[in-house]
Structure formats: C-alpha cells, structure tokens
C-alpha cells in the first residue's frame, strides 16, 4: 500500500491498511493509523501520531516545527484522532514547551489553506472552512463551525457548537452555542439550528437564549451575570457548560 515513489522513514510506523501515494513523505518516528490515505505530496513529519481513517490531501503539512521564536528544538508532538480530513495545503504545527503537543480530535474537517498553530487543542466534529487561521494555543470545542478566512488570535477559546461567520477577526473568547459575526465581531444569537441538528431539545435552546439574555442584555458585569444565571436558571448540561466556559475565560468574551 506504499507507492515506490513515496518516501517513508524506516523509523515510521505505518499500518498495513494505509495508502501512501507517490511523492508523499513520512518522516522520523511518525505513526500512521489504519486505513489512512496520504495523497501525493502530502508531508507528515516526525513526532506525529495519526489515528485511523484519516486523509491528508496534496500539499498538506502535518507536524512541522512551530513558527514560534521561543521554540528551541524540544521534543514535542502532534496528535490527531480518527476520521480527520486535512485538505490541500492545510498546515498543522507541533507543540512547544508550553503544552508539549498540538491536539486534534476525531471527525474533523480542516479545509484547504487552513492553519493550526503550535499547542492548539481541537475537539471533535469541527469544521474549519477554507483559509481559517488559528494562532498558537487556541482551543476549539466540539462541533464548532469556523467560517472561511477567519483569523483567531492566540490563546483564544472557542466554545462547543459555535457558528462563526466567515472573515471574522476573533480576539475574545466565543461562548458555547453562540452565533458570532459582524464587523467588529459581536455576539449575534444562539446557534439554535446547530443545536437542533445535534438533538438538543427546545428546552436546551431556550436555556441558552435565557442565559445569553442575561449576559448580553442585563447591563451586568460578567461576574454579576454568572451569579444571576446560577440563581435564576435551572441546572442543566447546557447551563453548566456555559457557566464553566464563562468562569474560565481569561481574555474575556465577545461582546
């Protein structure tokens, strides 16, 4: 399953069911899981662990050293789950001493020309549209959809089930279940359509609406809004996820 014109380092571990096309490159001690497919001119560097059923398209580069001047050649990693697709010319860089690894979960679609910088942590079922750019140490929650050409500042957190408008410039945390866009970037409502598609109930949707009315319309500080939510909104998985995100925000949330 390895084309004779591919280059595979003898130290690499390639599952017997993987396909490595002509001119693809697998370097060092990389690990390629079952039923993966590396298209021509895909490059996987050392210290990469790729799960099963992943597909890397031409020109994509996985596990290159970070574009961080503090990087001193330390041994760091790139970890990718199962069923991930990295389209043409997308790039994923390995970690630095900060976290030691860049992590991408499972069932993610990383479209062409997108970039995932050092020490980012991505969950599962994420869609990054064409040319999304994640700076270092960004965190993205499950089922987030990032519109094409979006720019995300380092250390920013994007919550689960967020829908981000294409072309956005993100410099604050985006709370879970939110739709975010416009210029300058702002909260635009609850991602009700996305929630229903993922089998959240109407009560879950209404809970998110009620919480964000407090956060964005009550004229309270974030701390006051969190206290208000705890006192007035019944406990639920949606409420608790939003509260945990708000409490952990260090950059502040989008307004």
């Amino acid at each position: 399953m390895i084309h004779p014109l591919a280059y595979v380092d003898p130290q690499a571990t390639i599952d017997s069911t993987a396909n490595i096309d002509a001119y693809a490159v697998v370097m060092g001690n990389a690990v390629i899981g079952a039923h993966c497919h590396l298209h021509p001119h895909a490059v996987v560097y050392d210290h990469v662990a790729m799960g099963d059923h992943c597909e890397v398209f031409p020109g994509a580069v996985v596990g290159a050293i970070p574009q961080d001047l503090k990087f001193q050649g330390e041994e760091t990693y790139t970890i990718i789950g199962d069923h991930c697709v990295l389209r043409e010319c997308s790039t994923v860089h390995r970690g630095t001493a900060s976290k030691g690894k860049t992590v991408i979960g499972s069932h993610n679609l990383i479209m062409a020309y997108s970039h995932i910088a050092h020490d980012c942590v991505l969950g599962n079922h994420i869609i990054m549209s064409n040319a999304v750019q994640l700076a270092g140490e960004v965190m993205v929650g499950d089922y987030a959809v990032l519109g094409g050409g979006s720019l995300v500042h380092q250390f920013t957190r994007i919550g689960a089930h967020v829908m981000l408008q294409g072309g956005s410039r993100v410099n604050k945390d985006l709370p879970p279940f939110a739709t975010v866009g416009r210029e300058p970037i702002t909260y635009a409502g609850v991602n009700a359509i996305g929630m229903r598609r993922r089998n959240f109930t109407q009560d879950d949707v209404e809970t998110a609406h009620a919480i964000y009315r407090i956060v964005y319309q009550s004229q309270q500080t974030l701390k006051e809004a969190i206290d208000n939510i705890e006192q007035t909104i019944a406990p639920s998985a949606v409420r608790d996820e939003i509260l945990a995100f708000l409490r952990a925000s260090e950059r502040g949330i989008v307004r």
Side-chain angles (χ1 to χ4, degrees):
M1 309 296 280
I2 300 176
H3 194 282
L5 293 179
Y7 172 77
V8 176
D9 192 292
Q11 297 183 69
T13 301
I14 312 294
D15 189 273
S16 62
T17 60
N19 282 320
I20 313 294
D21 288 346
Y23 307 113
V25 175
V26 181
M27 303 178 72
N29 59 357
V31 177
I32 307 297
H35 303 287
C36 287
H37 185 185
L38 305 188
H39 289 257
H41 301 287
V43 178
V44 177
Y45 278 87
D46 51 357
H47 303 302
V48 171
M50 185 178 295
D52 300 336
H53 297 278
C54 292
E55 191 168 8
V56 184
F57 278 75
V61 178
V62 182
I65 63 172
Q67 299 173 134
D68 186 331
L69 296 178
K70 298 187 297 298
F71 182 72
Q72 298 296 316
E74 55 266 24
E75 186 172 297
T76 58
Y77 300 91
T78 305
I79 300 173
I80 299 176
D82 302 328
H83 296 278
C84 287
V85 176
L86 287 84
R87 293 304 304 253
E88 297 83 351
C89 300
S90 58
T91 52
V92 182
H93 288 174
R94 63 193 251 204
T96 68
S98 175
K99 288 188 172 68
K101 58 188 176 183
T102 300
V103 179
I104 300 175
S106 298
H107 298 277
N108 294 313
L109 172 57
I110 313 301
M111 294 190 190
Y113 295 96
S114 292
H115 175 63
I116 299 172
H118 63 88
D119 301 294
C120 286
V121 178
L122 277 66
N124 306 309
H125 299 280
I126 293 164
I127 297 174
M128 288 176 53
S129 300
N130 290 350
V132 171
Q133 309 292 299
L134 303 184
E137 304 194 45
V138 168
M139 300 182 67
V140 184
D142 296 347
Y143 291 98
V145 178
L146 311 184
S150 296
L151 308 175
V152 183
H153 196 280
Q154 62 187 6
F155 304 110
T156 301
R157 298 161 61 243
I158 297 176
H161 305 278
V162 162
M163 173 68 75
L164 176 64
Q165 178 185 2
S168 297
R169 294 180 291 176
V170 182
N171 59 1
K172 296 288 185 180
D173 292 347
L174 309 184
F177 310 107
T179 298
V180 184
R182 306 189 182 115
E183 179 61 37
I185 191 169
T186 184
Y187 169 79
V190 170
N191 183 16
I193 293 175
M195 292 181 72
R196 293 188 186 104
R197 286 175 177 169
R198 291 158 203 143
N199 299 317
F200 285 92
T201 66
Q202 186 59 32
D203 286 344
D204 292 328
V205 175
E206 291 302 326
T207 295
H209 277 298
I211 289 172
Y212 288 130
R213 278 194 291 269
I214 294 172
V215 171
Y216 289 109
Q217 297 177 16
S218 67
Q219 306 301 314
Q220 296 176 324
T221 67
L222 184 58
K223 183 180 184 306
E224 291 170 341
I226 289 172
D227 292 340
N228 189 350
I229 293 163
E230 289 181 320
Q231 295 167 10
T232 61
I233 305 296
S236 68
V238 168
R239 189 203 79 154
D240 294 346
E241 181 167 353
I242 295 174
L243 281 176
F245 187 95
L246 297 179
R247 290 193 189 99
S249 179
E250 296 181 357
R251 295 187 61 83
I253 63 170
V254 65
R255 303 304 295 178

